[in-house]
Amino acid sequence: MGFRLLADATAVFHFLFVAYVVTGGYLAWYFRRTIWLHVLAVVWGFSTVVFTVDCPLTTLENWARHRAGEAGLPPSGFIDHYLTGVLYPREDLQLVRMLVVVAVVVSWLGFWLRGRHRQPGHAVR
């Protein structure tokens, strides 16, 4: 039971991480210091897709699932197993990737524009 719980908790954390990669730049509009965390998350997230780097969260989930007597994720990984073909059609994968890039770029552009229009002396969170 403990390994199953660890695997499920890892999957939930992985979902939250993917959501943060997509939306964290908008969060930085209000909590400006979090932009650096978002930049790191985006670099890591995109590197796992572009360079097919193994994600430690996928490795942890697989390890815990195997220890719980369950099948692990397929070699294609977390996104392919939980998102592609589930939240959007498999044939739209490239479109979804482009939309994620657009969402990140727009969030960073908005972050920059909001920073330029801030009042001098305004507190930074």
Side-chain angles (χ1 to χ4, degrees):
M1 170 109 176
F3 288 113
R4 170 71 191 269
L5 185 60
L6 176 61
D8 291 346
T10 303
V12 168
F13 185 78
H14 213 157
F15 275 113
L16 292 172
F17 179 81
V18 171
Y20 182 71
V21 166
V22 177
T23 63
Y26 299 100
L27 184 64
W29 288 12
Y30 301 99
F31 303 100
R32 297 194 56 79
R33 292 181 184 166
T34 65
I35 192 66
W36 298 110
L37 180 61
H38 187 249
V39 168
L40 291 173
V42 168
V43 167
W44 175 255
F46 279 90
S47 69
T48 62
V49 172
V50 174
F51 303 114
T52 59
V53 175
D54 289 337
C55 179
L57 292 172
T58 301
T59 302
L60 177 61
E61 182 180 348
N62 279 334
W63 176 83
R65 292 216 184 276
H66 288 138
R67 298 286 285 201
E70 299 177 0
L73 297 174
S76 53
F78 175 85
I79 290 176
D80 191 55
H81 180 72
Y82 288 115
L83 303 177
T84 304
V86 177
L87 292 182
Y88 52 85
R90 190 164 298 283
E91 59 269 10
D92 290 340
L93 177 61
Q94 293 306 321
L95 173 63
V96 169
R97 286 180 176 170
M98 294 285 287
L99 291 173
V100 168
V101 169
V102 168
V104 169
V105 169
V106 166
S107 74
W108 288 355
L109 180 61
F111 173 84
W112 180 72
L113 289 172
R114 287 176 60 96
R116 291 189 67 213
H117 293 85
R118 287 189 35 223
Q119 309 239 347
H122 188 268
V124 176
R125 293 185 222 176

